[in-house]
């Protein structure tokens, strides 16, 4: 039986592509691996050597294309200090933080990006709870 090996990437429609491009590259630290701003698309990666992109941002042609019903987009970080560091960076950027939580298997901060998509940053703990 064919099997999926992992999630490849997530794509989001954006009303303001440049604002979202700036946020995910400058604030979140993702690398822009490819883009065609005339066509309205930008690809970003946390590890460009391993994966061309994990996030694709596409300019919405009209408001009805707004990304709907995405429960969250999650990004993994190396350690708990990274979760804390991002928490403070997000506060400095004036972003709306939803919550911080320890799930047992992970420690997370949930927040909303500039276009109100829910995002999680998480560190995987060594505990299998």
């Amino acid at each position: 039986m064919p099997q999926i090996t992992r999630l490849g990437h997530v794509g989001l429609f954006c009303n303001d592509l440049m604002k979202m491009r700036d946020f995910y590259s400058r604030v979140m630290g993702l690398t822009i691996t490819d883009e065609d701003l005339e066509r309205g698309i930008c690809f970003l990666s946390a590890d460009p050597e391993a994966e061309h992109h994990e996030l694709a941002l596409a300019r919405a042609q009209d408001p009805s294309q707004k990304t709907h019903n995405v429960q969250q987009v999650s990004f993994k970080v190396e350690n708990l200090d990274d979760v804390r560091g991002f928490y403070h960076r997000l506060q400095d950027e004036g972003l709306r933080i939803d919550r911080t939580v320890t799930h047992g298997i992970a420690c997370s901060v949930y927040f909303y990006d500039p276009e109100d998509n829910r995002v999680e940053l998480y560190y995987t703990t060594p505990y299998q709870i």
Side-chain angles (χ1 to χ4, degrees), residues 54-125:
E54 292 96 0
L55 182 64
L57 302 175
R59 182 184 310 123
Q61 300 302 311
D62 62 66
S64 67
Q65 282 185 304
K66 177 73 176 119
T67 301
H68 295 285
N69 301 320
V70 173
Q71 191 269 337
Q72 71 191 38
V73 176
S74 299
F75 294 98
K76 189 172 186 172
V77 299
E78 284 290 322
N79 55 53
L80 187 55
D81 285 339
D82 287 341
V83 175
R84 290 183 189 116
F86 270 112
Y87 176 85
H88 295 294
R89 185 181 300 175
L90 299 168
Q91 283 185 317
D92 292 345
E93 290 291 321
L95 292 164
R96 181 168 53 115
I97 295 176
D98 182 28
R99 66 188 180 131
T100 58
V101 64
T102 300
H103 297 291
I105 60 167
C107 297
S108 305
V109 59
Y110 293 87
F111 66 97
Y112 293 89
D113 75 11
E115 292 199 0
D116 282 335
N117 297 294
R118 189 167 183 245
V119 180
E120 175 192 24
L121 292 165
Y122 71 98
Y123 154 69
T124 302
T125 71

Side-chain angles (χ1 to χ4, degrees), residues 32-52:
I32 297 169
T33 57
D34 197 5
E35 63 185 344
D36 185 338
L37 298 179
E38 197 170 297
R39 284 185 46 225
I41 193 149
C42 179
F43 300 98
L44 301 104
S45 179
D47 185 1
E49 297 297 320
E51 189 70 49
H52 179 266

Side-chain angles (χ1 to χ4, degrees), residues 16-24 114-115:
D16 187 337
L17 178 61
M18 297 309 289
K19 184 176 187 177
M20 294 288 277
R21 176 186 180 275
D22 175 68
F23 171 74
Y24 280 101
E115 292 199 0

